Amino acid sequence: MNRSHYKRRSFLAKTLGLAALSSIGACAGPMYKSGSGGPTYRGVVYDVGVRFAARQPLSVEPFDLELARYDLQTIGRKLHCNAVRIEGEDIGRLLVASRIAHAEGMTVFFNPWKMNVPVTDLSEYYRLAARAAEQLRAEGVELVFVCGCEITLFNEGLFPGSGIMERASWLSSFGGADKSKVDYTELLKRGTELNAVLRSIVTSVREEFGGKVSYASGAWEMVDWTLFDLVGVDHYRNGEPEKEYVAGLDRFRQNKPLVVMEVGCCAYEGAGPRGSTGFTILEGQNEDGSGRFAGGKIPARSEREQADYVDEQLRLLSQAGVDGVFIYVFSFPLYTHGSGAKDLDMVSYALVKTYPKDDPRSRQIPPWAPKESFARVAGFYKQFPRQVP
């Protein structure tokens, strides 16, 4: 399985009720007002390889230095990003990509991400990553260290379950219609355990790294934001009205910058209202690479749907005064573009469509073409001054 089978669960926070979550540990603080001129950090997520299951290869394999340089130059020069969130398990890849991004004048959100290991293993991993990040900082690279992403789901030991899908299922059990039966005491306990893990990670990171730190929180996670310099949350819109979507940020407003670490949409008709759950129409893959879709119906590809979604969310988030936005994701080579049931790209969140291996264009640099959403993101970011204050 890949990231799209795991990654989109923010609808659970909506189901549980943000107000209720706020009352059991949101640590709300004074509202921080962003400066004028749009979000300070304007970027995309760039994946250099994560491991969605313990025995699976990295999501980017092999890691092509020439392609990474081309991609990051494109992100800086054509998407007009002044920041990029680089995520991946291999610290060496993170270093290489971060130096390229720095050369392009972008601030790096340096995001080591080791999935499917016990939370007790994370502190030492992040210590090593922080040591490497400090090396970058000594070289003059402007970066924010991201201390993981949605640890309750992507790592073992906080939510019950032997895998990510089992942990997601456990979390969804709190989302029933009868809110009076929701065991908020249990959720608070898990939130306390998460903060103990985060405290251990942050302690290790700060012993090695002298710059700013943040975390990419799931909307359901109850994080003690006093540990961090920036608040970070994956904030997808799932069909709710504009006011409700923007109000969902209130729980994360502190007296410090607020960054939306992820937001995005798939590229088929009807994907917009599904937001973070748009991938769920893909139920599996056949041996010939074609997809098995919900109800046996192949969705109609619509790059316009994705483009409209990201354009609208960028506008809303900018008006809401967030300090940073990262569109998920620049590319997703595991889901390639094709025709009919072989067009898995339409259930990815990528801004570019990757050609399949049997297409000669897959052997060129770049092995992808921009989608309509690429132009929308570029047009939105271009209107603001590039320099990070």
Side-chain angles (χ1 to χ4, degrees):
M1 284 193 177
N2 53 50
R3 178 188 181 113
S4 289
H5 286 283
Y6 300 143
K7 189 71 181 80
R8 316 290 164 218
R9 317 102 334 242
S10 61
F11 70 98
L12 292 167
K14 176 183 174 184
T15 305
L16 288 170
L18 289 170
L21 285 175
S22 178
S23 69
I24 56 171
C27 305
M31 184 176 295
Y32 179 93
K33 291 293 186 181
S34 173
S36 60
T40 299
Y41 304 105
R42 301 178 295 277
V44 297
V45 177
Y46 186 69
D47 179 24
V48 296
V50 291
R51 202 179 307 277
F52 296 111
R55 290 179 294 277
Q56 284 191 345
L58 295 173
S59 56
V60 175
E61 197 63 61
F63 179 68
D64 187 322
L65 178 57
E66 182 183 2
L67 178 58
R69 181 174 289 109
Y70 187 96
D71 288 349
L72 288 160
Q73 288 176 346
T74 298
I75 289 169
R77 300 176 189 183
K78 295 185 179 180
L79 279 176
H80 305 286
C81 295
N82 67 0
V84 59
R85 177 184 164 199
I86 303 176
E87 63 178 29
E89 179 177 323
D90 187 276
I91 296 172
R93 294 185 183 187
L94 290 169
L95 287 171
V96 169
S98 295
R99 290 188 175 106
I100 297 171
H102 171 67
E104 292 300 313
M106 291 183 283
T107 297
V108 175
F109 277 61
F110 187 88
N111 189 176
W113 197 359
K114 195 173 184 68
M115 299 180 185
N116 301 298
V117 298
V119 292
T120 51
D121 292 355
L122 294 178
S123 182
E124 184 59 27
Y125 169 71
Y126 281 105
R127 181 186 298 278
L128 296 174
R131 191 174 299 162
E134 182 64 16
Q135 177 183 338
L136 290 175
R137 205 171 73 91
E139 296 171 10
V141 178
E142 183 69 30
L143 74 161
V144 174
F145 192 99
V146 182
C147 299
C149 177
E150 302 179 14
I151 288 174
T152 53
L153 286 188
F154 286 96
N155 291 101
E156 302 167 5
L158 294 178
F159 284 179
S162 59
I164 295 171
M165 293 305 291
E166 288 186 15
R167 292 190 286 272
S169 178
W170 179 85
L171 178 59
S172 68
S173 70
F174 287 89
D178 188 349
K179 300 298 187 296
S180 66
K181 296 183 179 179
V182 174
D183 187 354
Y184 291 115
T185 302
E186 180 66 17
L187 284 178
L188 179 56
K189 173 189 173 186
R190 305 291 176 173
T192 301
E193 293 171 348
L194 168 64
N195 284 311
V197 172
L198 290 174
R199 192 170 296 108
S200 175
I201 291 172
V202 171
T203 297
S204 294
V205 169
R206 291 198 186 276
E207 287 175 355
E208 304 287 346
F209 177 72
K212 297 177 181 178
V213 300
S214 187
Y215 172 67
S217 169
W220 61 90
E221 292 183 333
M222 295 165 285
V223 174
D224 177 5
W225 291 109
T226 64
L227 298 170
F228 301 97
D229 302 299
L230 295 84
V231 176
V233 60
D234 298 343
H235 190 57
Y236 290 82
R237 185 178 177 192
N238 302 300
E240 65 269 35
E242 290 185 4
K243 288 185 179 179
E244 184 177 338
Y245 173 67
V246 173
L249 291 167
D250 290 348
R251 189 171 70 89
F252 300 92
R253 304 254 186 207
Q254 309 287 310
N255 58 344
K256 54 188 64 179
L258 170 60
V259 177
V260 172
M261 292 288 195
E262 289 186 20
V263 62
C265 175
C266 298
Y268 62 86
E269 291 181 4
R274 291 176 177 265
S276 65
T277 63
F279 77 97
T280 58
I281 65 166
L282 181 65
E283 297 182 338
Q285 289 180 249
N286 301 309
E287 291 186 4
D288 65 355
S290 61
R292 298 193 301 274
F293 298 94
K297 182 179 180 181
I298 301 172
R301 181 181 183 86
S302 176
E303 293 188 13
R304 178 62 55 85
E305 182 107 7
Q306 182 189 43
D308 288 345
Y309 177 99
V310 297
D311 198 25
E312 186 169 26
Q313 270 44 259
L314 284 171
R315 174 181 60 82
L316 291 173
L317 292 168
S318 182
Q319 291 173 353
V322 300
D323 295 88
V325 179
F326 292 94
I327 298 296
Y328 180 76
V329 59
F330 178 74
S331 63
F332 196 73
L334 289 178
Y335 281 0
T336 56
H337 178 47
S339 61
K342 289 190 175 182
D343 186 11
L344 301 187
D345 169 75
M346 60 182 165
V347 291
S348 86
Y349 292 71
L351 300 180
V352 300
K353 49 196 171 191
T354 299
Y355 298 117
K357 290 182 179 180
D358 60 0
D359 188 317
R361 292 171 293 182
S362 69
R363 296 183 287 277
Q364 67 186 19
I365 298 293
W368 50 255
K371 289 149 77 169
E372 287 187 34
S373 54
F374 183 104
R376 297 288 191 93
V377 173
F380 187 88
Y381 287 165
K382 188 177 182 180
Q383 67 183 307
F384 301 110
R386 180 175 170 83
Q387 186 176 2
V388 175

Coordinates of all heavy atoms in Angstrom, one line a residue, residues 300-359:
A300 N -14.5 10.1 -13.8 CA -14.1 10.9 -14.9 C -13.0 11.9 -14.5 O -13.2 12.7 -13.5 CB -15.4 11.7 -15.4
R301 N -11.9 11.8 -15.2 CA -10.8 12.7 -14.9 C -11.2 14.2 -15.0 O -11.8 14.6 -16.0 CB -9.6 12.4 -15.8 CG -8.4 13.2 -15.5 CD -7.2 12.9 -16.5 NE -6.0 13.7 -16.1 CZ -5.1 13.3 -15.2 NH1 -5.3 12.2 -14.6 NH2 -4.1 14.1 -15.0
S302 N -10.8 15.0 -14.0 CA -11.0 16.4 -14.1 C -9.9 17.2 -13.4 O -9.9 17.3 -12.2 CB -12.4 16.8 -13.5 OG -12.6 18.2 -13.5
E303 N -9.0 17.6 -14.2 CA -7.9 18.5 -13.7 C -8.5 19.8 -13.2 O -8.0 20.4 -12.3 CB -6.8 18.7 -14.7 CG -6.0 17.4 -15.0 CD -4.8 17.7 -15.9 OE1 -4.4 18.8 -16.0 OE2 -4.3 16.7 -16.4
R304 N -9.6 20.2 -13.8 CA -10.2 21.5 -13.4 C -10.7 21.4 -12.0 O -10.6 22.3 -11.2 CB -11.3 21.8 -14.4 CG -12.1 23.1 -14.0 CD -11.2 24.3 -14.1 NE -10.6 24.5 -15.3 CZ -11.1 25.1 -16.4 NH1 -12.3 25.5 -16.3 NH2 -10.4 25.2 -17.5
E305 N -11.3 20.2 -11.6 CA -11.8 20.1 -10.2 C -10.7 20.3 -9.2 O -10.9 21.0 -8.2 CB -12.4 18.7 -10.1 CG -13.0 18.4 -8.7 CD -14.5 18.4 -8.7 OE1 -15.1 18.4 -9.8 OE2 -15.1 18.3 -7.6
Q306 N -9.5 19.7 -9.4 CA -8.4 19.8 -8.5 C -7.9 21.3 -8.5 O -7.6 21.8 -7.5 CB -7.3 18.9 -9.0 CG -6.0 19.0 -8.1 CD -4.9 18.2 -8.6 OE1 -4.6 18.3 -9.8 NE2 -4.2 17.5 -7.8
A307 N -7.8 21.9 -9.7 CA -7.3 23.3 -9.8 C -8.3 24.2 -9.1 O -7.8 25.1 -8.3 CB -7.2 23.6 -11.3
D308 N -9.6 24.0 -9.2 CA -10.5 24.9 -8.5 C -10.4 24.8 -7.0 O -10.5 25.8 -6.3 CB -12.0 24.6 -9.0 CG -12.3 25.1 -10.4 OD1 -11.5 25.9 -10.9 OD2 -13.3 24.6 -10.9
Y309 N -10.2 23.5 -6.6 CA -10.1 23.3 -5.1 C -8.9 24.0 -4.5 O -9.0 24.7 -3.5 CB -10.0 21.8 -4.9 CG -9.8 21.4 -3.4 CD1 -10.9 21.0 -2.6 CD2 -8.5 21.4 -2.8 CE1 -10.7 20.6 -1.3 CE2 -8.3 21.0 -1.5 CZ -9.4 20.6 -0.8 OH -9.3 20.2 0.5
V310 N -7.7 23.8 -5.1 CA -6.5 24.4 -4.5 C -6.5 25.9 -4.6 O -6.1 26.6 -3.7 CB -5.2 23.8 -5.2 CG1 -5.1 22.3 -4.9 CG2 -5.1 24.1 -6.6
D311 N -7.1 26.4 -5.7 CA -7.2 27.8 -5.9 C -8.1 28.4 -4.8 O -7.7 29.4 -4.1 CB -7.8 28.1 -7.2 CG -7.5 29.6 -7.7 OD1 -6.6 30.2 -7.2 OD2 -8.3 30.1 -8.5
E312 N -9.2 27.8 -4.5 CA -10.1 28.3 -3.5 C -9.5 28.2 -2.1 O -9.6 29.1 -1.3 CB -11.4 27.6 -3.6 CG -12.5 28.1 -2.6 CD -13.9 27.6 -2.9 OE1 -14.0 26.4 -3.4 OE2 -14.9 28.3 -2.6
Q313 N -8.9 27.1 -1.8 CA -8.3 26.9 -0.4 C -7.1 27.9 -0.2 O -7.0 28.4 0.9 CB -7.9 25.5 -0.2 CG -9.0 24.6 0.3 CD -10.3 24.8 -0.3 OE1 -11.2 25.4 0.3 NE2 -10.5 24.2 -1.5
L314 N -6.4 28.1 -1.2 CA -5.3 29.1 -1.1 C -5.8 30.5 -0.8 O -5.3 31.2 0.1 CB -4.4 29.1 -2.4 CG -3.4 28.0 -2.6 CD1 -2.8 28.0 -4.0 CD2 -2.4 28.0 -1.5
R315 N -6.9 30.8 -1.5 CA -7.6 32.1 -1.2 C -8.1 32.2 0.2 O -7.9 33.2 0.9 CB -8.7 32.3 -2.2 CG -9.5 33.6 -1.9 CD -10.6 33.7 -3.0 NE -11.6 32.6 -3.0 CZ -12.6 32.5 -2.1 NH1 -12.8 33.4 -1.1 NH2 -13.4 31.5 -2.2
L316 N -8.8 31.2 0.6 CA -9.4 31.2 2.0 C -8.3 31.2 3.1 O -8.5 31.9 4.0 CB -10.3 29.9 2.2 CG -11.6 29.9 1.3 CD1 -12.3 28.6 1.5 CD2 -12.5 31.0 1.7
L317 N -7.3 30.4 2.9 CA -6.3 30.3 3.9 C -5.5 31.6 4.0 O -5.1 32.1 5.1 CB -5.3 29.2 3.7 CG -6.0 27.8 3.8 CD1 -5.1 26.7 3.3 CD2 -6.3 27.5 5.3
S318 N -5.3 32.3 2.8 CA -4.6 33.6 2.8 C -5.4 34.6 3.5 O -4.9 35.4 4.4 CB -4.3 34.0 1.4 OG -3.6 35.2 1.4
Q319 N -6.7 34.6 3.2 CA -7.6 35.6 3.9 C -7.7 35.3 5.4 O -7.9 36.2 6.2 CB -9.0 35.5 3.2 CG -9.0 36.0 1.8 CD -10.4 35.8 1.1 OE1 -11.3 35.1 1.7 NE2 -10.5 36.3 -0.1
A320 N -7.6 34.0 5.8 CA -7.6 33.7 7.2 C -6.4 34.1 8.0 O -6.4 34.0 9.2 CB -7.9 32.2 7.3
G321 N -5.4 34.5 7.3 CA -4.2 35.0 7.9 C -3.2 34.0 8.4 O -2.4 34.2 9.4
V322 N -3.2 32.8 7.7 CA -2.2 31.8 8.1 C -0.8 32.3 7.7 O -0.7 33.1 6.8 CB -2.5 30.4 7.5 CG1 -3.9 29.9 8.0 CG2 -2.5 30.4 6.0
D323 N 0.2 31.7 8.3 CA 1.5 32.2 8.1 C 2.3 31.3 7.1 O 3.4 31.6 6.7 CB 2.3 32.2 9.4 CG 1.8 33.3 10.3 OD1 0.8 33.0 11.1 OD2 2.2 34.4 10.3
G324 N 1.7 30.2 6.7 CA 2.3 29.4 5.7 C 1.3 28.4 5.1 O 0.4 27.9 5.8
V325 N 1.5 28.0 3.9 CA 0.7 27.0 3.2 C 1.6 26.1 2.4 O 2.4 26.6 1.6 CB -0.4 27.6 2.3 CG1 -1.2 26.5 1.6 CG2 -1.3 28.5 3.1
F326 N 1.4 24.8 2.5 CA 2.1 23.8 1.6 C 1.0 22.9 0.9 O 0.3 22.2 1.6 CB 3.0 22.9 2.4 CG 4.2 23.7 3.0 CD1 4.2 24.2 4.2 CD2 5.3 23.9 2.2 CE1 5.2 25.0 4.7 CE2 6.4 24.7 2.7 CZ 6.4 25.2 4.0
I327 N 1.0 23.0 -0.4 CA 0.1 22.2 -1.2 C 0.6 20.7 -1.2 O 1.8 20.5 -1.6 CB -0.1 22.7 -2.6 CG1 -0.8 24.1 -2.6 CG2 -1.0 21.8 -3.4 CD1 -2.1 24.2 -2.0
Y328 N -0.2 19.8 -0.9 CA 0.2 18.4 -1.0 C -0.3 17.9 -2.4 O -1.5 17.9 -2.7 CB -0.4 17.5 0.1 CG 0.0 16.1 0.0 CD1 1.2 15.7 0.4 CD2 -0.9 15.1 -0.6 CE1 1.6 14.3 0.2 CE2 -0.6 13.8 -0.7 CZ 0.7 13.4 -0.3 OH 1.1 12.1 -0.4
V329 N 0.6 17.4 -3.3 CA 2.0 17.2 -3.2 C 2.5 17.5 -4.6 O 1.8 17.5 -5.6 CB 2.3 15.7 -2.8 CG1 1.7 14.8 -3.8 CG2 3.7 15.4 -2.7
F330 N 3.8 17.8 -4.7 CA 4.3 18.1 -6.1 C 4.2 17.0 -7.0 O 3.6 17.1 -8.1 CB 5.8 18.6 -6.0 CG 6.4 18.9 -7.3 CD1 6.1 20.1 -7.9 CD2 7.3 18.0 -7.9 CE1 6.6 20.4 -9.2 CE2 7.8 18.3 -9.2 CZ 7.4 19.5 -9.8
S331 N 4.7 15.8 -6.7 CA 4.6 14.7 -7.6 C 4.3 13.4 -6.8 O 4.6 13.4 -5.6 CB 5.8 14.5 -8.4 OG 6.9 14.2 -7.6
F332 N 3.7 12.4 -7.4 CA 3.4 11.1 -6.7 C 3.6 10.0 -7.7 O 2.7 9.5 -8.3 CB 2.0 11.1 -6.2 CG 1.7 10.0 -5.2 CD1 2.3 10.1 -3.9 CD2 1.0 8.9 -5.5 CE1 2.1 9.1 -3.0 CE2 0.8 7.9 -4.6 CZ 1.3 8.0 -3.3
P333 N 4.9 9.6 -8.0 CA 5.2 8.7 -9.1 C 4.6 7.3 -8.9 O 4.6 6.5 -9.9 CB 6.7 8.7 -9.1 CG 7.1 9.2 -7.7 CD 6.1 10.1 -7.3
L334 N 4.1 6.9 -7.7 CA 3.5 5.6 -7.6 C 2.2 5.5 -8.3 O 1.8 4.4 -8.7 CB 3.3 5.3 -6.1 CG 4.5 5.1 -5.2 CD1 4.1 4.9 -3.8 CD2 5.3 3.9 -5.7
Y335 N 1.5 6.6 -8.5 CA 0.3 6.7 -9.3 C 0.5 7.4 -10.6 O 0.6 8.6 -10.6 CB -0.8 7.4 -8.5 CG -1.5 6.6 -7.4 CD1 -1.1 5.3 -7.1 CD2 -2.5 7.2 -6.6 CE1 -1.7 4.5 -6.1 CE2 -3.1 6.4 -5.6 CZ -2.7 5.1 -5.4 OH -3.3 4.4 -4.4
T336 N 0.7 6.6 -11.7 CA 1.0 7.2 -12.9 C -0.2 7.6 -13.8 O -1.3 7.0 -13.5 CB 1.9 6.3 -13.8 OG1 1.3 5.0 -13.9 CG2 3.2 6.1 -13.1
H337 N 0.0 8.4 -14.8 CA -1.1 8.9 -15.7 C -1.3 7.8 -16.8 O -0.3 7.2 -17.2 CB -0.7 10.2 -16.3 CG -1.7 10.7 -17.2 ND1 -3.1 10.8 -17.0 CD2 -1.6 11.3 -18.5 CE1 -3.7 11.3 -18.0 NE2 -2.8 11.6 -18.9
G338 N -2.5 7.6 -17.1 CA -2.8 6.7 -18.2 C -4.2 7.0 -18.8 O -4.7 8.1 -18.6
S339 N -4.8 5.9 -19.3 CA -6.2 6.1 -19.8 C -7.1 5.1 -19.1 O -6.7 4.0 -18.7 CB -6.2 5.9 -21.4 OG -5.8 4.5 -21.7
G340 N -8.4 5.5 -19.0 CA -9.4 4.7 -18.4 C -9.0 4.2 -17.0 O -8.5 5.0 -16.2
A341 N -9.1 3.0 -16.7 CA -8.9 2.4 -15.4 C -7.4 2.5 -15.0 O -7.0 2.2 -13.9 CB -9.4 1.0 -15.3
K342 N -6.5 2.7 -16.0 CA -5.1 2.8 -15.7 C -4.6 4.2 -15.4 O -3.4 4.4 -15.1 CB -4.3 2.3 -16.9 CG -4.4 0.8 -17.1 CD -3.4 0.2 -18.1 CE -3.4 -1.3 -18.1 NZ -2.4 -1.8 -19.1
D343 N -5.6 5.1 -15.3 CA -5.2 6.5 -14.9 C -5.3 6.7 -13.4 O -6.3 7.2 -12.9 CB -6.1 7.5 -15.6 CG -5.7 8.9 -15.4 OD1 -4.6 9.2 -14.8 OD2 -6.5 9.9 -15.7
L344 N -4.3 6.2 -12.7 CA -4.3 6.3 -11.3 C -3.9 7.7 -10.8 O -4.2 8.0 -9.7 CB -3.4 5.2 -10.7 CG -3.7 3.8 -11.0 CD1 -2.7 2.9 -10.2 CD2 -5.1 3.4 -10.7
D345 N -3.3 8.5 -11.7 CA -3.0 9.8 -11.3 C -4.2 10.6 -10.8 O -4.1 11.5 -10.0 CB -2.3 10.5 -12.5 CG -2.1 12.0 -12.2 OD1 -1.2 12.4 -11.5 OD2 -2.9 12.8 -12.8
M346 N -5.4 10.3 -11.4 CA -6.5 11.2 -11.0 C -6.9 10.9 -9.6 O -7.7 11.7 -9.0 CB -7.7 10.9 -11.9 CG -8.2 9.5 -12.0 SD -9.6 9.4 -13.2 CE -9.7 7.6 -13.4
V347 N -6.4 9.9 -8.9 CA -6.7 9.7 -7.5 C -5.5 10.0 -6.6 O -5.4 9.7 -5.5 CB -7.3 8.3 -7.1 CG1 -8.7 8.2 -7.7 CG2 -6.3 7.2 -7.6
S348 N -4.5 10.7 -7.2 CA -3.4 11.3 -6.5 C -3.6 12.7 -6.3 O -4.5 13.4 -6.9 CB -2.1 11.1 -7.2 OG -1.8 12.1 -8.1
Y349 N -2.8 13.3 -5.4 CA -3.0 14.8 -5.1 C -1.9 15.6 -5.7 O -1.7 16.8 -5.4 CB -2.9 15.0 -3.5 CG -4.1 14.4 -2.8 CD1 -4.2 13.0 -2.7 CD2 -5.0 15.2 -2.2 CE1 -5.3 12.5 -2.0 CE2 -6.1 14.7 -1.6 CZ -6.3 13.3 -1.5 OH -7.4 12.8 -0.8
A350 N -1.2 15.0 -6.7 CA 0.0 15.6 -7.3 C -0.4 16.7 -8.2 O -1.4 16.7 -8.9 CB 0.8 14.6 -8.1
L351 N 0.5 17.7 -8.3 CA 0.4 18.9 -9.2 C 0.9 18.5 -10.6 O 0.7 19.3 -11.5 CB 1.1 20.1 -8.7 CG 0.6 20.6 -7.3 CD1 1.5 21.8 -6.9 CD2 -0.9 20.9 -7.3
V352 N 1.6 17.4 -10.7 CA 2.1 17.0 -12.0 C 1.7 15.5 -12.2 O 1.6 14.8 -11.3 CB 3.7 17.1 -12.1 CG1 4.1 18.6 -12.0 CG2 4.4 16.3 -11.2
K353 N 1.5 15.1 -13.5 CA 1.2 13.8 -13.8 C 2.4 13.0 -14.3 O 3.0 13.5 -15.3 CB 0.0 13.7 -14.8 CG 0.2 14.6 -16.0 CD -1.1 14.8 -16.7 CE -1.0 15.9 -17.8 NZ -2.3 16.3 -18.4
T354 N 2.7 11.9 -13.7 CA 3.9 11.1 -14.0 C 3.6 10.1 -15.1 O 2.5 9.4 -15.0 CB 4.5 10.4 -12.8 OG1 4.8 11.4 -11.8 CG2 5.7 9.6 -13.1
Y355 N 4.4 10.0 -16.1 CA 4.2 9.0 -17.2 C 4.5 7.6 -16.7 O 5.5 7.4 -15.9 CB 5.0 9.4 -18.4 CG 4.7 10.7 -19.0 CD1 5.7 11.7 -19.0 CD2 3.5 11.0 -19.5 CE1 5.4 13.0 -19.6 CE2 3.1 12.2 -20.1 CZ 4.1 13.2 -20.1 OH 3.8 14.4 -20.6
P356 N 3.8 6.6 -17.2 CA 4.1 5.2 -16.8 C 5.4 4.7 -17.4 O 5.8 5.3 -18.4 CB 2.8 4.5 -17.3 CG 2.3 5.3 -18.4 CD 2.6 6.7 -18.0
K357 N 5.9 3.6 -16.9 CA 7.2 3.1 -17.4 C 7.2 2.7 -18.9 O 8.2 2.7 -19.6 CB 7.6 1.9 -16.6 CG 8.0 2.3 -15.1 CD 8.5 1.1 -14.3 CE 8.9 1.6 -12.9 NZ 9.4 0.4 -12.1
D358 N 6.0 2.3 -19.4 CA 5.9 1.9 -20.8 C 5.8 3.1 -21.8 O 5.6 2.9 -23.0 CB 4.8 0.9 -21.0 CG 3.4 1.5 -20.7 OD1 3.3 2.6 -20.2 OD2 2.4 0.7 -20.8
D359 N 5.8 4.3 -21.2 CA 5.7 5.5 -22.0 C 7.2 6.0 -22.2 O 7.9 6.2 -21.2 CB 4.8 6.5 -21.4 CG 4.6 7.8 -22.2 OD1 5.5 8.3 -22.9 OD2 3.4 8.2 -22.2

